[in-house]
């Protein structure tokens, strides 16, 4: 089993920034992909960004140019730097990792509001 623990969510004003972190622990041998999904109230969970162990990245169109995903393989940690936040970015953000199985974190709330 792999455990994912997120941190860094909170309340921020429109135009502000937040940085999310997610640390993986447990039975890790190679996390091929790590990333972030989000789920807003009344909506389905959607991809935000992913990054492979070789640092290939993929972003949702809605966050391109504003969010940056990165990872530290030695620490099994993935980050999401979120800039120029908008009210529509408000959601619970879930960390995601794929080894043989897929693992999810417990989620961290991000609220963008004045």
């Amino acid at each position: 089993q792999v455990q994912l623990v997120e941190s860094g969510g909170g309340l921020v004003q429109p135009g502000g920034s937040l940085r999310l972190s997610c640390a993986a622990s447990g039975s890790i041998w190679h996390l091929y992909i790590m990333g972030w999904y989000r789920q807003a109230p009344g909506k389905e969970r959607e991809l935000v960004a992913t990054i492979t162990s070789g640092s290939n990245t993929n972003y949702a169109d809605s966050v391109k140019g504003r969010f940056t995903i990165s990872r530290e393989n030695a620490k099994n940690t993935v980050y999401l730097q979120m800039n120029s936040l908008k009210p529509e970015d408000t959601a619970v953000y879930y960390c995601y990792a794929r080894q043989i199985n897929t693992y999810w974190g417990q989620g961290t709330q991000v609220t963008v509001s004045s």
Side-chain angles (χ1 to χ4, degrees):
Q1 285 288 348
V2 174
Q3 294 79 42
L4 302 175
V5 178
E6 302 114 332
S7 60
L11 173 65
V12 64
Q13 292 186 343
S17 298
L18 281 175
R19 188 191 194 211
L20 305 182
S21 300
C22 172
S25 62
S27 301
I28 297 170
W29 62 275
H30 186 71
L31 297 172
Y32 292 104
I33 299 175
M34 299 186 75
W36 297 91
Y37 282 67
R38 67 186 181 188
Q39 187 166 18
K43 295 187 176 181
E44 294 186 353
R45 191 173 296 190
E46 63 176 5
L47 176 134
V48 176
T50 60
I51 184 168
T52 69
S53 56
S55 297
N56 292 313
T57 59
N58 180 46
Y59 294 93
D61 288 342
S62 60
V63 306
K64 283 181 180 177
R66 300 188 299 121
F67 291 11
T68 302
I69 190 169
S70 60
R71 67 187 282 178
E72 289 188 73
N73 290 330
K75 295 183 178 181
N76 294 311
T77 300
V78 63
Y79 307 95
L80 186 67
Q81 178 66 43
M82 303 185 294
N83 299 327
S84 301
L85 282 160
K86 304 176 181 180
E88 51 264 44
D89 294 317
T90 295
V92 177
Y93 284 69
Y94 294 92
C95 181
Y96 156 88
R98 182 184 299 171
Q99 190 162 254
I100 294 176
N101 297 319
T102 298
Y103 301 95
W104 294 93
Q106 80 285 355
T108 185
Q109 177 70 46
V110 172
T111 302
V112 184
S113 175
S114 55

